[in-house]
Amino acid sequence: MDKWLMNNTSSKIIALVLGVLLFAVVHKQDPNVNTHQPLYETKEIQAVQIVTQGLDEKQYVINRLEPSTVRIQVEALRSRMSSILTENYKVILDVSGYEAGTHTIPLKYELPDGVKLVSMQPSAVTVELEEVQTKQFDVTIKTKGTPQDGYTAGTPIITPSNRVHVTLPTSEMDNVQSVSAMIDIDQANESVIQKQVKLTAYDKAGNMIKNAVIEPSVMQVEIPISKPFKSVPLQLNVRGNLPAGLAVGSVEPSVNEVTLYGPQEDLDQIEFYDGLQIDLSTFKAAGTYNVNLKLTLPSNLEKMEPSAINVKVVIVAEKERVISNVPITLAGRNDKLKTTITEPASRSYDVKVVGAPDLVDALSASDIQLIANVNDLPPGNHRVTLQVNLPRFVRLVNNPTFYAVILIEDKDVPAGTDPEPDPNPPVDQGTAGEGGSESEGQNPPSEEQEVPSGDGNHGTETPDNGSNA
């Protein structure tokens, strides 16, 4: 026996038997040991998002969806289940054919191959569909910051259009106050151009309306940045004289205004540009002339556009005409004094003028002003030289001088009482000038007639071919 126990082979056999017995005893006491693995596995997936199908977004919007997620339980082969991702499971809400209102709609699902649905909670959801409305709005571009000193921002240029369509549920459309975007122009010294500007709808409180659908949603915007500028009327001056027998038919510049660039304080002082002159002495015969004139930049300014213009000048044979019964008007009257035109008795003159046929043929008595300036004259009789105002490119024949005798009386003097005589009564020189004869039987104009407003010649000067445009 001792020999058998001391044998090496016998020791190995005994050790093996003891190991088997020990393994059996240990595993017999472990209730969790399952020697048979199941072939299929069941899995529960929480909060699966619902995917909407069949919604006509141009007509309806989902205003409410309850609940918005579901819980599903699926079964598949254990080997298959471990390889499927959560996003491969789809729960579908099909709203095809449903109109505006509240509906309870059963859910559909799509599962990966080899996967079976065990349960889905809930199996139907409550959906509220609302009609949408589309309305057109103007786009407002707002700017942030200020350009560099001396530069100004112009009106934004929006491409392709400054109008967009906004689509929203009907109940929310009235909340839309504006559609706008913000452009940063801080310290800019040249035009700012952004090709992809995202537009946003805002309500009356200035809050963003997140679910507004804007078409188009982006636009190209340009903010012009330039030196201060001002557009002013172009005033054309005419000087010199035409040869005898010729008159100006028309003078037409290619533009009617110019744009000036420079410091704002200098621009504020300019109301028009009159640095352009036409010299009539350069025209020797009737005809149509195209003249190219270079404009002179005013001092303290940096640029003018355009810098040169074309002027069309039409020269024609002149025509004389007598305009009858041109009334005398009073200027500068004192309301406390009574002012009366005593000579000429008709209180009017016949005025002979010359000019282009089209111009003189169109004249009437109301186009000519004969003005007696009685400002600061004391009571008494006064012989006043009349100021003559004529339309452009029309002049008097032989430049006569017209006079009027004006009686000024104190309104407080009783009727029948003669006013104090003028210590230096004027000498009656009669009616002056060709076409200045009085007309018997003419209806005199009212003594209360005032001077019409408007530009004209002042003092005793009479207009000629050099009158200003």
PDB file of all heavy atoms in Angstrom, residues 59-63 100-101 128-132 169-172:
ATOM      1  N   GLN A  59     -49.449  74.103 -46.297  1.00  0.00           N
ATOM      2  CA  GLN A  59     -50.848  74.256 -45.930  1.00  0.00           C
ATOM      3  C   GLN A  59     -51.095  74.091 -44.435  1.00  0.00           C
ATOM      4  O   GLN A  59     -51.950  74.769 -43.867  1.00  0.00           O
ATOM      5  CB  GLN A  59     -51.693  73.242 -46.707  1.00  0.00           C
ATOM      6  CG  GLN A  59     -53.186  73.457 -46.571  1.00  0.00           C
ATOM      7  CD  GLN A  59     -53.973  72.548 -47.494  1.00  0.00           C
ATOM      8  OE1 GLN A  59     -53.397  71.722 -48.202  1.00  0.00           O
ATOM      9  NE2 GLN A  59     -55.286  72.683 -47.489  1.00  0.00           N
ATOM     10  N   TYR A  60     -50.341  73.189 -43.778  1.00  0.00           N
ATOM     11  CA  TYR A  60     -50.596  72.905 -42.368  1.00  0.00           C
ATOM     12  C   TYR A  60     -49.294  72.899 -41.575  1.00  0.00           C
ATOM     13  O   TYR A  60     -48.196  72.720 -42.123  1.00  0.00           O
ATOM     14  CB  TYR A  60     -51.285  71.544 -42.194  1.00  0.00           C
ATOM     15  CG  TYR A  60     -52.633  71.447 -42.853  1.00  0.00           C
ATOM     16  CD1 TYR A  60     -52.784  70.713 -44.037  1.00  0.00           C
ATOM     17  CD2 TYR A  60     -53.747  72.086 -42.333  1.00  0.00           C
ATOM     18  CE1 TYR A  60     -54.015  70.614 -44.659  1.00  0.00           C
ATOM     19  CE2 TYR A  60     -54.980  71.996 -42.943  1.00  0.00           C
ATOM     20  CZ  TYR A  60     -55.107  71.262 -44.107  1.00  0.00           C
ATOM     21  OH  TYR A  60     -56.329  71.172 -44.721  1.00  0.00           O
ATOM     22  N   VAL A  61     -49.449  73.052 -40.260  1.00  0.00           N
ATOM     23  CA  VAL A  61     -48.351  72.920 -39.320  1.00  0.00           C
ATOM     24  C   VAL A  61     -48.864  72.134 -38.121  1.00  0.00           C
ATOM     25  O   VAL A  61     -50.047  72.219 -37.764  1.00  0.00           O
ATOM     26  CB  VAL A  61     -47.820  74.306 -38.880  1.00  0.00           C
ATOM     27  CG1 VAL A  61     -48.868  75.075 -38.091  1.00  0.00           C
ATOM     28  CG2 VAL A  61     -46.545  74.167 -38.071  1.00  0.00           C
ATOM     29  N   ILE A  62     -47.967  71.303 -37.522  1.00  0.00           N
ATOM     30  CA  ILE A  62     -48.355  70.570 -36.312  1.00  0.00           C
ATOM     31  C   ILE A  62     -48.217  71.510 -35.137  1.00  0.00           C
ATOM     32  O   ILE A  62     -47.112  71.907 -34.753  1.00  0.00           O
ATOM     33  CB  ILE A  62     -47.474  69.318 -36.124  1.00  0.00           C
ATOM     34  CG1 ILE A  62     -47.723  68.336 -37.274  1.00  0.00           C
ATOM     35  CG2 ILE A  62     -47.769  68.658 -34.785  1.00  0.00           C
ATOM     36  CD1 ILE A  62     -46.877  67.087 -37.192  1.00  0.00           C
ATOM     37  N   ASN A  63     -49.358  71.899 -34.580  1.00  0.00           N
ATOM     38  CA  ASN A  63     -49.375  72.847 -33.482  1.00  0.00           C
ATOM     39  C   ASN A  63     -49.159  72.160 -32.131  1.00  0.00           C
ATOM     40  O   ASN A  63     -48.630  72.776 -31.210  1.00  0.00           O
ATOM     41  CB  ASN A  63     -50.703  73.612 -33.479  1.00  0.00           C
ATOM     42  CG  ASN A  63     -50.630  74.917 -32.721  1.00  0.00           C
ATOM     43  OD1 ASN A  63     -49.582  75.548 -32.668  1.00  0.00           O
ATOM     44  ND2 ASN A  63     -51.729  75.323 -32.123  1.00  0.00           N
ATOM     45  N   ALA A 100     -57.210  70.504 -40.881  1.00  0.00           N
ATOM     46  CA  ALA A 100     -56.996  71.275 -39.662  1.00  0.00           C
ATOM     47  C   ALA A 100     -57.936  70.795 -38.559  1.00  0.00           C
ATOM     48  O   ALA A 100     -59.098  70.486 -38.792  1.00  0.00           O
ATOM     49  CB  ALA A 100     -57.216  72.758 -39.936  1.00  0.00           C
ATOM     50  N   GLY A 101     -57.406  70.722 -37.339  1.00  0.00           N
ATOM     51  CA  GLY A 101     -58.188  70.258 -36.204  1.00  0.00           C
ATOM     52  C   GLY A 101     -57.372  69.332 -35.324  1.00  0.00           C
ATOM     53  O   GLY A 101     -56.168  69.133 -35.525  1.00  0.00           O
ATOM     54  N   GLU A 128     -52.667  68.105 -33.205  1.00  0.00           N
ATOM     55  CA  GLU A 128     -53.453  69.279 -33.573  1.00  0.00           C
ATOM     56  C   GLU A 128     -52.816  69.918 -34.808  1.00  0.00           C
ATOM     57  O   GLU A 128     -51.675  70.373 -34.760  1.00  0.00           O
ATOM     58  CB  GLU A 128     -53.500  70.294 -32.441  1.00  0.00           C
ATOM     59  CG  GLU A 128     -54.337  71.529 -32.780  1.00  0.00           C
ATOM     60  CD  GLU A 128     -54.347  72.551 -31.660  1.00  0.00           C
ATOM     61  OE1 GLU A 128     -53.919  72.224 -30.537  1.00  0.00           O
ATOM     62  OE2 GLU A 128     -54.770  73.700 -31.926  1.00  0.00           O
ATOM     63  N   LEU A 129     -53.543  69.925 -35.913  1.00  0.00           N
ATOM     64  CA  LEU A 129     -53.076  70.533 -37.162  1.00  0.00           C
ATOM     65  C   LEU A 129     -53.700  71.912 -37.315  1.00  0.00           C
ATOM     66  O   LEU A 129     -54.896  72.091 -37.086  1.00  0.00           O
ATOM     67  CB  LEU A 129     -53.445  69.664 -38.363  1.00  0.00           C
ATOM     68  CG  LEU A 129     -52.826  68.263 -38.431  1.00  0.00           C
ATOM     69  CD1 LEU A 129     -53.322  67.527 -39.664  1.00  0.00           C
ATOM     70  CD2 LEU A 129     -51.310  68.350 -38.436  1.00  0.00           C
ATOM     71  N   GLU A 130     -52.867  72.901 -37.709  1.00  0.00           N
ATOM     72  CA  GLU A 130     -53.357  74.270 -37.916  1.00  0.00           C
ATOM     73  C   GLU A 130     -52.938  74.745 -39.297  1.00  0.00           C
ATOM     74  O   GLU A 130     -51.834  74.456 -39.760  1.00  0.00           O
ATOM     75  CB  GLU A 130     -52.799  75.204 -36.848  1.00  0.00           C
ATOM     76  CG  GLU A 130     -53.343  76.634 -36.964  1.00  0.00           C
ATOM     77  CD  GLU A 130     -52.798  77.557 -35.889  1.00  0.00           C
ATOM     78  OE1 GLU A 130     -52.023  77.084 -35.036  1.00  0.00           O
ATOM     79  OE2 GLU A 130     -53.127  78.756 -35.919  1.00  0.00           O
ATOM     80  N   GLU A 131     -53.846  75.487 -39.952  1.00  0.00           N
ATOM     81  CA  GLU A 131     -53.538  76.029 -41.259  1.00  0.00           C
ATOM     82  C   GLU A 131     -52.450  77.105 -41.145  1.00  0.00           C
ATOM     83  O   GLU A 131     -52.372  77.830 -40.147  1.00  0.00           O
ATOM     84  CB  GLU A 131     -54.785  76.643 -41.905  1.00  0.00           C
ATOM     85  CG  GLU A 131     -55.775  75.620 -42.417  1.00  0.00           C
ATOM     86  CD  GLU A 131     -56.927  76.252 -43.151  1.00  0.00           C
ATOM     87  OE1 GLU A 131     -57.304  77.376 -42.785  1.00  0.00           O
ATOM     88  OE2 GLU A 131     -57.436  75.639 -44.089  1.00  0.00           O
ATOM     89  N   VAL A 132     -51.609  77.201 -42.168  1.00  0.00           N
ATOM     90  CA  VAL A 132     -50.562  78.215 -42.186  1.00  0.00           C
ATOM     91  C   VAL A 132     -50.963  79.322 -43.149  1.00  0.00           C
ATOM     92  O   VAL A 132     -51.788  79.134 -44.042  1.00  0.00           O
ATOM     93  CB  VAL A 132     -49.199  77.624 -42.582  1.00  0.00           C
ATOM     94  CG1 VAL A 132     -48.759  76.587 -41.582  1.00  0.00           C
ATOM     95  CG2 VAL A 132     -49.239  77.062 -43.994  1.00  0.00           C
ATOM     96  N   PRO A 169     -48.215  79.758 -38.718  1.00  0.00           N
ATOM     97  CA  PRO A 169     -49.608  79.426 -38.399  1.00  0.00           C
ATOM     98  C   PRO A 169     -50.458  80.691 -38.388  1.00  0.00           C
ATOM     99  O   PRO A 169     -49.990  81.770 -37.984  1.00  0.00           O
ATOM    100  CB  PRO A 169     -49.507  78.804 -36.999  1.00  0.00           C
ATOM    101  CG  PRO A 169     -48.127  78.239 -36.936  1.00  0.00           C
ATOM    102  CD  PRO A 169     -47.283  79.187 -37.732  1.00  0.00           C
ATOM    103  N   THR A 170     -51.691  80.548 -38.825  1.00  0.00           N
ATOM    104  CA  THR A 170     -52.570  81.708 -38.931  1.00  0.00           C
ATOM    105  C   THR A 170     -52.667  82.472 -37.624  1.00  0.00           C
ATOM    106  O   THR A 170     -52.690  83.716 -37.610  1.00  0.00           O
ATOM    107  CB  THR A 170     -53.964  81.260 -39.391  1.00  0.00           C
ATOM    108  OG1 THR A 170     -53.840  80.565 -40.644  1.00  0.00           O
ATOM    109  CG2 THR A 170     -54.887  82.444 -39.577  1.00  0.00           C
ATOM    110  N   SER A 171     -52.693  81.771 -36.507  1.00  0.00           N
ATOM    111  CA  SER A 171     -52.838  82.422 -35.203  1.00  0.00           C
ATOM    112  C   SER A 171     -51.612  83.240 -34.805  1.00  0.00           C
ATOM    113  O   SER A 171     -51.691  84.081 -33.915  1.00  0.00           O
ATOM    114  CB  SER A 171     -53.115  81.370 -34.125  1.00  0.00           C
ATOM    115  OG  SER A 171     -52.042  80.441 -34.045  1.00  0.00           O
ATOM    116  N   GLU A 172     -50.472  83.027 -35.456  1.00  0.00           N
ATOM    117  CA  GLU A 172     -49.240  83.726 -35.090  1.00  0.00           C
ATOM    118  C   GLU A 172     -48.850  84.817 -36.074  1.00  0.00           C
ATOM    119  O   GLU A 172     -47.941  85.604 -35.793  1.00  0.00           O
ATOM    120  CB  GLU A 172     -48.083  82.732 -34.975  1.00  0.00           C
ATOM    121  CG  GLU A 172     -48.273  81.665 -33.913  1.00  0.00           C
ATOM    122  CD  GLU A 172     -47.083  80.738 -33.838  1.00  0.00           C
ATOM    123  OE1 GLU A 172     -45.950  81.213 -33.990  1.00  0.00           O
ATOM    124  OE2 GLU A 172     -47.281  79.531 -33.641  1.00  0.00           O
TER     125      GLU A 172
END
